[in-house]
């Protein structure tokens, strides 16, 4: 068990005082058996006139802030403390799911169907052909080995690069360019495994990068994204193709969704001219109370 502390600071700057529309936040981690929220504080400047909390269709905690004041800066500072229990993945799935191909049980298929459906166009079947390269020819393939190989192949075959623009790259663009961000790689893997019949969903959260080896993981210093694949008997298993992580080690889940656009950490608007906007900065620091963690 390790206690991980996160400080997530987002600052919007403007040339003159502007008004602000609603801002939607997904900052609060999901409580589970492998991570327990110990504390959370959210400070917003200027102070909102109201904050409303709801759970979205996926069970994520979503806060919406409304503002009366105008300002030249809008600052969101989120601090969380999470008790983190690394869950070693041994792929203890149901016997029928230990090798691929397999079919989900009839009573699970209606609930998994939205996560199995392809969400991005692949008219020529390029993505499906890429995924099928990792199947054994004319024979069953161990399911765990297949998913581990896909995860590793993405990290080794594509070049990671940061992109400040919002949105997620289409998987075919990622395939053709051979590069992308963590959210691009997460969506790429989701669509690749969906092409093989798996249920997959997008995860947004934070990545702990051990200070003793700061280059160990890609995607530190900002929010992070990966995916989960559903395996009968094992449940939703974490796969981070950016870093080749299998399981929840070093990963703090905040939100899960069918699509990346449903798990954006912070969105909102301002009232003014486009020239008023000077830009946005995001700082994320994840530290551990256990110097040997990770």
């Amino acid at each position: 068990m390790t206690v991980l502390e996160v400080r997530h600071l987002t600052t919007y700057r403007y040339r003159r005082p502007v008004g602000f529309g609603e801002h939607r936040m997904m900052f609060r981690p999901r409580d589970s058996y492998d991570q327990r929220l110990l504390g959370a504080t959210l400070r917003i400047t200027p102070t909102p006139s109201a904050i409303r909390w709801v759970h979205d269709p996926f069970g994520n905690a979503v806060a919406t802030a409304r503002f009366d004041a105008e300002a030249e800066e809008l600052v969101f500072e989120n601090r969380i403390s999470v008790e983190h229990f690394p869950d070693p993945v041994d792929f203890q799935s149901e016997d029928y799911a230990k090798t691929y191909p397999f079919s989900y049980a009839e009573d699970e298929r209606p609930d998994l169907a939205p996560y199995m459906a392809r969400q991005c166009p692949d008219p020529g079947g390029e993505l499906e052909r890429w995924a099928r390269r990792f199947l054994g020819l004319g024979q069953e393939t161990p399911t765990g080995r297949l998913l581990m190989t896909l995860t590793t192949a993405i990290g080794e075959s594509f070049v990671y690069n940061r992109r400040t623009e919002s949105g997620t790259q289409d998987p075919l663009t990622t395939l053709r360019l051979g590069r992308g961000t963590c959210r691009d790689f997460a969506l790429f893997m989701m669509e690749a495994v969906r092409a093989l019949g798996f249920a997959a969903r997008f995860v947004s959260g934070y990545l702990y990068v051990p200070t003793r080896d700061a280059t160990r993981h890609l995607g530190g210093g900002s929010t992070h994204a990966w995916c989960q694949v559903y395996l009968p008997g094992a449940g939703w298993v974490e796969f981070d193709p950016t870093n080749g992580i299998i399981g929840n080690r070093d990963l703090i889940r905040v939100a899960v969704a069918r699509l990346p656009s449903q798990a954006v950490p912070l969105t909102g608007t301002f009232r003014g001219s486009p020239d008023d906007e000077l830009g946005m900065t995001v700082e994320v620091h994840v530290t551990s109370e256990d110097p040997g963690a990770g």
Side-chain angles (χ1 to χ4, degrees):
M1 181 274 292
T2 303
V3 174
L4 297 177
E5 308 275 351
V6 180
R7 179 177 182 260
H8 179 179
L9 182 68
T10 303
T11 305
Y12 298 91
R13 294 184 173 85
Y14 304 90
R15 295 183 187 279
R16 62 180 181 85
V18 298
F20 305 106
E22 287 190 344
H23 279 67
R24 181 178 185 271
M25 296 158 281
M26 302 181 80
F27 292 151
R28 188 180 180 89
R30 296 172 66 97
D31 273 301
S32 186
Y33 63 89
D34 59 354
Q35 67 173 36
R36 184 165 68 92
L37 182 61
L38 300 177
T41 60
L42 176 61
R43 186 173 65 183
I44 305 174
T45 308
T47 302
S49 58
I51 295 182
R52 182 170 61 95
W53 287 90
V54 300
H55 283 107
D56 70 5
F58 308 103
N60 303 310
V62 180
T64 302
R66 296 177 179 173
F67 299 88
D68 291 335
E70 295 187 348
E72 295 180 357
E73 279 193 351
L74 177 60
V75 181
F76 297 82
E77 183 181 19
N78 183 55
R79 290 178 178 267
I80 60 171
S81 177
V82 175
E83 197 172 26
H84 191 265
F85 301 86
D87 187 22
V89 175
D90 51 11
F91 295 106
Q92 290 298 310
S93 58
E94 300 290 350
D95 288 342
Y96 70 86
K98 290 188 182 298
T99 57
Y100 178 88
F102 68 88
S103 296
Y104 290 117
E106 287 298 321
D107 62 336
E108 292 183 326
R109 288 186 66 85
D111 300 308
L112 295 175
Y115 302 101
M116 297 170 65
R118 300 285 297 276
Q119 302 295 322
C120 301
D122 185 18
E126 293 178 62
L127 187 57
E128 183 172 355
R129 284 196 298 274
W130 183 90
R132 290 194 173 278
R133 292 167 44 200
F134 303 98
L135 300 178
L137 294 177
Q139 60 184 1
E140 293 181 331
T141 303
T143 303
R145 188 175 70 190
L146 170 61
L147 293 172
M148 292 175 67
T149 302
L150 277 167
T151 304
T152 303
I154 294 171
E156 293 180 349
S157 301
F158 300 101
V159 176
Y160 170 82
N161 66 276
R162 291 185 183 272
R163 190 175 65 250
T164 57
E165 298 86 354
S166 61
T168 306
Q169 198 166 262
D170 181 272
L172 287 183
T173 301
T174 301
L175 182 61
R176 293 164 184 169
L177 293 179
R179 64 177 183 270
T181 66
C182 60
R183 60 185 184 270
D184 300 330
F185 294 160
L187 180 60
F188 181 88
M189 180 164 179
M190 288 164 58
E191 288 294 284
V193 299
R194 284 170 175 169
L196 298 178
F198 290 96
R201 63 186 186 184
F202 183 85
V203 189
S204 175
Y206 301 106
L207 172 69
Y208 170 60
V209 181
T211 54
R212 68 175 186 276
D213 187 7
T215 61
R216 175 176 172 180
H217 293 328
L218 299 172
S222 62
T223 56
H224 191 52
W226 60 98
C227 69
Q228 293 177 330
V229 179
Y230 186 80
L231 298 178
W236 290 102
V237 180
E238 320 272 349
F239 294 91
D240 177 7
T242 303
N243 295 293
I245 297 174
I246 314 296
N248 72 333
R249 177 175 52 85
D250 297 334
L251 301 173
I252 303 173
R253 281 187 310 278
V254 171
V256 300
R258 180 172 49 87
L259 292 168
S261 59
Q262 298 168 318
V264 178
L266 176 61
T267 58
T269 60
F270 74 94
R271 294 186 295 274
S273 86
D275 292 340
D276 291 332
E277 190 172 12
L278 295 178
M280 173 189 74
T281 59
V282 178
E283 300 174 33
V284 174
H285 299 281
V286 184
T287 57
S288 169
E289 290 187 2
D290 177 4

